[in-house]
Structure formats: structure tokens, C-alpha cells
Amino acid sequence: MRSGVGLCLLGLLCLHSSAFVLALDVQPGVLIFCDDPSVEKAVSSAVTTFNKRMSTGHQLALYQILSASKSENGSDSVYSLQFTSRRSDCPVGSSKPWTDCNYLPHGRQEPISCNATVYMTETEADTKQVACLLDNYIIKERASCLGCPEEIDENSEDLKVPLSVSISKYNSMSDSTHLFTLHNVGHATRQVVAGFRFKLRFDMKRTTCTKAEHKDLNDLCVPDDKDSEYANCNSTVDVAPWRFESPQTNIECEAGALPPMLFTRRRPPGWSPLRNLLYDIPSATSSPPAAAPSKASAKEESSEEDTKASKPSVAPDAVNDSPFHCPSKAWKPFNPLHPAAPAKAATEEGTPQPTADGTFSDLDLLG
């Protein structure tokens, strides 16, 4: 029974990811040329194997070989391959091999990433594993943990009651002659239990209201700036308003304000440890610096611009200076179809044109 469930799960994973993967213990190999005939034979076997396992759509055709390495396993040579492919105009199940197909000119423009492990002998190629990412990348998301504490914003309206009862309890149990009021919230979480459990980290500041004159905090109780005194607390508050019960509060406090580091945990949008470094990198749209660049830097910038200007997004015929000729040249040119812009004549025909004196006639209104 357990083996049957395992096989079902394995089948579902294969269908979901559109990748046929078999875990292999392959020793790291040495890099070899991407345009080596043996590498091309191994990649051809991998593409053919993948197409045989597809059930719908169009067959894949090789586009470029990105990297290849070779190791030995007994009498076999093990090729570890990284390559890209494109959908072809040959439907799945066709007797026509992918080598006789052309790329589909429409649909997805980006190449499809693939990897494979192929065992090679002098006469045969045996694809042990091949995987191609037919759809967009799958982004892993952490599943929500039901019943786990979740962080909430310190300005949330949900904190009003937990903070209020926490401060009220501190004022009732402290030895201070004055009432304290909220100063800052450093951290807050909420957890679903038999109600809501709030855990708070905050500090308070002494006010001008004395306990002898004021039983609770009110609008007259403002922070005392002349005689600053702080207290910081950890508080746990259980709230269940639908049960018409008073919040249960457990609080521990000590003298002094919260450490400043607790108020820097939230970063502005886009914050990064490399933020300052990124500002020093000139962008393509930014204006040139006032100081004249050195000859070396000018040469580098010029070569970069020339490369970007002369090399299209896909350059199958470009000279490859890589020591291992990787990536390889494209197997075939890819000529995508772009939606045609409306003809100028048709646009002008449907647009009323003014007369010689610059005005429109009554006939123009009939359109």
C-alpha cells in the first residue's frame, strides 16, 4: 500500500513540474567544449528523450548548449549538460524528428532552460535524466502557519486594547508617584489561541500626572519633558471580546527606555545592504559625471556600449571567445513574429483632414 502511494506522488510531481528527473549520484567532471560532436550527440539524445515523454503540445528543439562536463563511470562516459530549447512546429507524437522541425515563431520568446545527464559509449547515448522548465519559474512560498504568532505593525489599531491594559496594569503596580504613558512600540505579534494572544515589547515615559490627583491616564497627562523617566516592558495579553471577559495581562518591566536597535528593524522599501554601493554604479540613463573619466575607464565604457549596440538579444552567429566555446551557436535562427503596426495610409484614410484654409467641412462630420 505504501509503495503504491509513493508511486502516485511521484507521478503527480512529474506532471506538475513538466520535468522528468531521476536522482543520480554523478561525480563532478571536467568541462569540455560545447561544440564537441560527442556533446552534441548527448544533447540530441536528451531532447529526443524529453519529447518522447511529452503528451501534449509541441516538441522541443535544441537552441543553445550552455555548458558541458564529462566524468567516467566504469566503461561509460557521463555527460552533465546545461542547454536551452524552444518549442518547435512539430506536434507531440509526430514521427518527424525534432531535427527536421523549425522553431515556432509565436508564443514564448525566452528560451526554455534544460539540464540532462547522459551516459555515453562509443556507439550509444543513454539519457538517464532530463528536465526542462516548460512554464515560468515556480517560486517557493512558505505556507502560512495556523496558530503561529504573526508580526503586526506597531501602528495597528489592534494594539490599542492590549497596550492600554498593559500600561494601566503597570501604573497600578508600579511604585512611581506619577502615571506613565506610551512612548514607543518596539515589537508586536498576534497569535490565535482561544481568542487572540498579543505579545508586546514597548516602553513608556513618565507624565505630569501624579497618582494622587489622577486615577487613570487622561488628556491632561502629557509626557514630562523636564524630568524624563522611562520604563520598558514585555507584555502578554489574551483578548477574547466575544466572551465578554476582561483581557488577561502578564507584564514584566524594568527601568529605562528600549534599546535604539529595536526601532530600526523595519527598513524602507527597496532597502539593501548594498544600497550605498549601488548608488556609485552609473546607469545607462544617468548623465555622465562632471569629471572626465580616465582613458582606461573610457575604453571600458566604450567597449560595453559597442557590445550592447552591436549584439542583438540573441546573436547565434557571434564569435565566441570562451575557452570552451560556451554557449554554443544557436542550432537555428529564431525569427519571432511581432504584431504588425497599423499602416499609415489606413490611419490617414480614417482621419478627417482639414481643408486648405485649415477648417473642416460639413462632410467631415458625416464620418
Side-chain angles (χ1 to χ4, degrees):
M1 182 65 181
R2 292 183 178 178
S3 60
V5 173
L7 290 175
C8 291
L9 291 175
L10 180 61
L12 290 174
L13 289 174
C14 289
L15 290 174
H16 176 70
S17 63
S18 299
F20 308 96
V21 183
L22 179 64
L24 297 172
D25 184 14
V26 178
Q27 298 298 322
V30 295
L31 293 176
I32 54 178
F33 289 91
C34 283
D35 55 1
D36 187 277
S38 63
V39 173
E40 295 175 349
K41 182 178 179 180
V43 172
S44 178
S45 171
V47 176
T48 301
T49 301
F50 190 89
N51 286 333
K52 288 181 180 179
R53 295 174 179 176
M54 293 180 67
S55 57
T56 59
H58 292 77
Q59 296 186 42
L60 298 186
L62 171 65
Y63 185 62
Q64 282 183 303
I65 302 174
L66 303 181
S67 67
S69 63
K70 179 181 177 181
S71 60
E72 300 299 329
N73 183 19
S75 59
D76 296 332
S77 297
V78 182
Y79 286 73
S80 299
L81 310 166
Q82 299 284 339
F83 61 96
T84 56
S85 61
R86 292 187 181 276
R87 295 188 186 273
S88 72
D89 55 4
C90 296
V92 169
S94 171
S95 59
K96 192 175 181 180
W98 68 265
T99 51
D100 295 337
C101 307
N102 294 314
Y103 300 131
L104 278 179
H106 53 80
R108 175 173 174 162
Q109 304 294 310
E110 299 81 12
I112 298 170
S113 299
C114 301
N115 64 73
T117 303
V118 182
Y119 281 44
M120 297 278 292
T121 63
E122 294 182 358
T123 58
E124 295 182 357
D126 182 14
T127 299
K128 297 295 185 180
Q129 171 267 328
V130 57
C132 292
L133 194 60
L134 298 183
D135 301 314
N136 293 331
Y137 288 98
I138 300 174
I139 301 175
K140 296 181 180 179
E141 293 183 356
R142 186 183 296 275
S144 58
C145 176
L146 299 178
C148 293
E150 60 176 4
E151 186 177 352
I152 57 177
D153 189 85
E154 65 268 21
N155 297 317
S156 172
E157 292 288 327
D158 295 342
L159 294 182
K160 280 189 174 181
V161 171
L163 284 172
S164 177
V165 296
S166 297
I167 297 172
S168 178
K169 184 166 186 177
Y170 173 81
N171 284 328
S172 65
M173 60 185 286
S174 73
D175 297 331
S176 175
T177 57
H178 289 68
L179 298 175
F180 280 67
T181 189
L182 179 66
H183 181 241
N184 275 316
V185 178
H187 187 71
T189 62
R190 177 179 53 199
Q191 181 181 10
V192 178
V193 286
F196 292 106
R197 173 166 293 171
F198 294 88
K199 292 199 173 186
L200 315 171
R201 184 86 167 99
F202 63 96
D203 62 4
M204 301 169 293
K205 189 175 183 180
R206 195 179 81 162
T207 68
T208 55
C209 293
T210 62
K211 291 182 178 180
E213 298 178 352
H214 301 272
K215 183 178 180 181
D216 294 313
L217 288 172
N218 54 64
D219 294 339
L220 299 177
C221 301
V222 295
D224 190 352
D225 295 329
K226 295 181 179 180
D227 188 7
S228 296
E229 183 181 348
Y230 296 90
N232 66 87
C233 302
N234 287 314
S235 176
T236 301
V237 182
D238 291 333
V239 180
W242 53 87
R243 294 207 301 261
F244 302 100
E245 297 177 355
S246 300
Q248 302 297 314
T249 308
N250 183 15
I251 187 170
E252 296 179 358
C253 302
E254 60 183 16
L258 284 177
M261 61 178 298
L262 289 178
F263 304 110
T264 59
R265 59 184 182 83
R266 283 186 174 85
R267 308 298 184 183
W271 181 87
S272 165
L274 304 179
R275 189 172 185 175
N276 295 332
L277 298 180
L278 293 176
Y279 285 146
D280 297 332
I281 301 176
S283 63
T285 57
S286 61
S287 58
S294 63
K295 292 183 179 180
S297 61
K299 183 177 180 180
E300 291 176 359
E301 293 178 0
S302 175
S303 62
E304 182 180 357
E305 293 173 358
D306 293 343
T307 303
K308 292 181 179 179
S310 60
K311 185 173 69 175
S313 57
V314 175
D317 299 327
V319 177
N320 195 332
D321 295 331
S322 167
F324 294 96
H325 299 175
C326 297
S328 66
K329 292 183 179 180
W331 178 66
K332 280 186 178 181
F334 177 56
N335 301 312
L337 288 180
H338 299 287
K344 184 177 180 181
T347 305
E348 292 179 350
E349 181 180 354
T351 305
Q353 301 297 323
T355 59
D357 59 356
T359 61
F360 289 93
S361 64
D362 293 338
L363 295 177
D364 295 329
L365 301 178
L366 296 177

